Amino acid sequence: TGIFTYDPGFATTASCKSAITFIDGDEGILLYRGYPIEQLAEHSTYLEVCYLLMYGELPNKEQGESFNHIISQHTMVHENIRDFIDGFRYDAHPMAMLVGTVGAMSSFYHDSLDINNPEHREISAQRLIAKMPTIASYCYKHHRGMPFMYPDNNLGYVENFTRMMFAVPAEDFTLNPVAVKAIELIMILHADHEQNASTSTVRLSGSSGANPFASIASGVACLWGPAHGGANEAVINMLDRILYSGETIEQVIARAKDKNDPFRLMGFGHRVYKNFDPRARLIQKMCYDLLKELGGDQPLFELAMELERATLEDEYFIERKLYPNVDFYSGIILRALDIPMNMFTVMFAMSRTVGWISHWMEMHEDPEFRIGRPRQVYTGAAQRDYPSGR
Ligand code: CMC
């Protein structure tokens, strides 16, 4: 009974109150706890942004040092998690492994975890932020058939991840500062984005009182799709396919505009940003600088830039306000850094973990918090009787 407001894709429904992230899609404004993303990208570190998102304020020196220390103390994962990852097929996609492994973490932190206790919630958040790079790099190493690298707690957060990804025990490893700087920026830009699909998924899963690791696993699953976090991988796949097929830019654009063709330009458009994506502006500059410095896969990069130019002049894209989004450039940067494509969304998940868990914590502190339970507009058969004689 009852008529409910029909809002496909929840485009006009506010599902919660939140004090974490503010977006003005028309003006291209993104604030974390009130601070403009441009200023955080310039002055902050990823871990400082994590502290800000979780606790609401920038840390003072002592708080920052203590937080960094706590995170570094939680970087290791139980050895059984290594065995668990070893159980995946050699060709498993790292995102498939990540969904499973983050979910499996709930088996290590469940019976003694009381989600009604704020301290327990806080330590769950710290564990997740600390262990995500370790799990992400293990998934990658398994996929490549290479030995796992244990975390090195003398290194910073991004340095540690970069080392766990690229170092091998047989050789000395030198960190590439360009890679570290680029990954740090990408991580800051992806740390939170209010009620996007994966964050809403985490809130909905968590609203039943589910285990935080299991709730975050549901966010990872949602992020994987090409319309969301999978877009950065889909961008490179698309560019590779265009190069391979020899299609012209005009043909590609015509296909993207053709309503009988399901093809969409990956890395273009955004549900909320209808003028520009402020994250894309920041990352676009890094992308241009990096390509100049590193060279890399020139035909692919040139194609990307041509596509960017062509869409900016095309009526279809102008009318619909479709601009390159953050994942158009993050995919290109990660490719230039020689990071394998199937790790792109894993790195997005690693960056977004702090956003997911901050929303999960905020939800549990909200006095109005209830289990999420949307309604529907029923379109099925009217009540009828089971046929007699069956
Ligand atoms: N290429 C071609 N046409 C497009 C595209 C695109 N990438 N995006 C939207 N359109 C068209 C769409 O066909 C529709 O046209 P019409 O009004 O004639 O029917 C119009 O633009 C509005 O599109 P929509 O699907 O109603 O918009 P949405 O807000 O539901 O979807 C989106 C937003 C991001 C899912 C979509 O733009 C898209 O699929 N983009 C490509 C995938 C992508 O890059 N995703 C990453 C988003 S940013 C990071 C993140 O959220 O994780």
Side-chain angles (χ1 to χ4, degrees), residues 227-228 231 259 264-265 267-268 270-271 316 320 322 325 327:
H228 192 6
K259 295 293 166 202
R264 280 186 169 199
L265 273 191
F268 286 79
H270 198 276
R271 169 61 63 82
Y316 173 96
R320 288 169 182 74
L322 301 169
N325 56 49
D327 288 317

Side-chain angles (χ1 to χ4, degrees), residues 193 196 223 226-231 235 256-257 259 263-272 274 277 279 316-317 320 322 325-327 348:
H193 213 226
N196 56 87
L223 187 76
H228 192 6
V235 167
K257 299 196 294 197
K259 295 293 166 202
F263 173 75
R264 280 186 169 199
L265 273 191
M266 287 293 119
F268 286 79
H270 198 276
R271 169 61 63 82
V272 181
K274 297 300 180 194
D277 176 343
R279 302 165 303 168
Y316 173 96
F317 290 87
R320 288 169 182 74
L322 301 169
N325 56 49
V326 65
D327 288 317
F348 188 161

Side-chain angles (χ1 to χ4, degrees), residues 32-68:
Y32 292 166
R33 299 282 189 186
Y35 293 104
I37 191 67
E38 292 80 5
Q39 293 177 23
L40 291 168
E42 190 179 343
H43 302 294
S44 198
T45 62
Y46 177 71
L47 273 193
E48 192 176 62
V49 166
C50 288
Y51 186 99
L52 174 67
L53 289 170
M54 268 177 72
Y55 299 107
E57 293 298 334
L58 286 168
N60 62 27
K61 193 164 174 291
E62 232 170 63
Q63 290 165 328
E65 281 169 6
S66 156
F67 184 68
N68 292 1

Side-chain angles (χ1 to χ4, degrees), residues 153-180:
N153 290 349
N154 296 314
L155 294 175
Y157 188 87
V158 176
E159 285 88 346
N160 194 19
F161 169 69
T162 313
R163 182 182 153 278
M164 286 190 287
M165 278 281 289
F166 293 113
V168 288
E171 281 174 14
D172 287 340
F173 176 71
T174 316
L175 276 169
N176 174 352
V178 178
V180 172

Side-chain angles (χ1 to χ4, degrees), residues 124-306:
S124 299
Q126 291 163 344
R127 281 188 178 127
L128 269 154
I129 294 168
K131 292 180 199 305
M132 212 58 172
T134 314
I135 297 172
S137 63
Y138 277 16
C139 292
Y140 171 64
K141 290 291 193 188
H142 176 74
H143 178 72
R144 294 290 309 274
M146 291 164 85
F148 295 131
M149 294 296 294
Y150 284 109
D152 176 350
N153 290 349
N154 296 314
L155 294 175
Y157 188 87
V158 176
E159 285 88 346
N160 194 19
F161 169 69
T162 313
R163 182 182 153 278
M164 286 190 287
M165 278 281 289
F166 293 113
V168 288
E171 281 174 14
D172 287 340
F173 176 71
T174 316
L175 276 169
N176 174 352
V178 178
V180 172
K181 194 168 161 228
I183 296 172
E184 184 118 32
L185 175 69
I186 289 177
M187 292 192 69
I188 291 173
L189 300 185
H190 285 86
D192 193 43
H193 213 226
E194 50 118 304
Q195 307 311 320
N196 56 87
S198 57
T199 304
S200 301
T201 303
V202 169
R203 276 189 179 257
L204 197 53
S205 311
S207 76
S208 68
N211 178 287
F213 292 86
S215 303
I216 297 296
S218 72
V220 179
C222 177
L223 187 76
W224 193 3
H228 192 6
N232 50 16
E233 180 178 350
V235 167
I236 302 297
N237 259 325
M238 173 187 77
L239 295 175
D240 271 340
R241 247 183 273 130
I242 297 172
L243 279 178
Y244 182 74
S245 70
E247 249 180 315
T248 62
I249 294 277
E250 290 72 32
Q251 286 169 324
V252 175
I253 292 204
R255 266 206 300 137
K257 299 196 294 197
D258 181 356
K259 295 293 166 202
N260 296 317
D261 188 332
F263 173 75
R264 280 186 169 199
L265 273 191
M266 287 293 119
F268 286 79
H270 198 276
R271 169 61 63 82
V272 181
Y273 296 122
K274 297 300 180 194
N275 273 324
F276 67 95
D277 176 343
R279 302 165 303 168
R281 282 215 172 145
L282 293 163
I283 206 170
Q284 181 193 43
K285 188 177 172 324
M286 155 86 64
C287 183
Y288 291 158
D289 293 350
L290 206 81
L291 296 187
K292 254 189 252 151
E293 196 167 328
L294 295 183
D297 187 342
Q298 283 307 329
L300 183 126
F301 301 146
E302 275 162 26
L303 173 65
M305 297 306 124
E306 265 180 67

